[in-house]
Amino acid sequence: AGVGISGTDYKTVTAYEGRARTRAEVIAEVQKSFAFMKDAMAKTDPATVEAPMKMFGQATTAQATWISATTHLHEHLGQLSS
């Protein structure tokens, strides 16, 4: 989504997550992330959620990716409430 993260190179994820941000910027990023996920999930054809795919070189499915991403975002949400 234009943030410089590559689904084939995990180093881009760690570089993105390692950026210095204020609390307000982090909250805005989490809100954008949830909105992006909600939109992407709504656009996913239910017939394709179990189709095989690769993410960071690992075999997975769209459904497993959504579960992992949602869990990951909720971890960050919990960090913000501390």
Side-chain angles (χ1 to χ4, degrees), residues 19-40:
R19 299 171 303 147
R21 292 284 189 234
T22 66
R23 181 176 172 82
E25 289 171 328
V26 171
I27 290 170
E29 290 289 328
V30 169
Q31 290 172 333
K32 284 179 12 185
S33 294
F34 273 108
F36 177 83
M37 287 286 298
K38 184 177 178 181
D39 183 57

Side-chain angles (χ1 to χ4, degrees), residues 7-9 13 53-61 64-66 68-69:
T8 59
D9 181 7
V13 175
M53 61 181 285
K54 289 223 180 216
M55 183 166 169
F56 305 120
Q58 301 287 333
T60 189
T61 64
T65 300
W66 295 135
S68 178

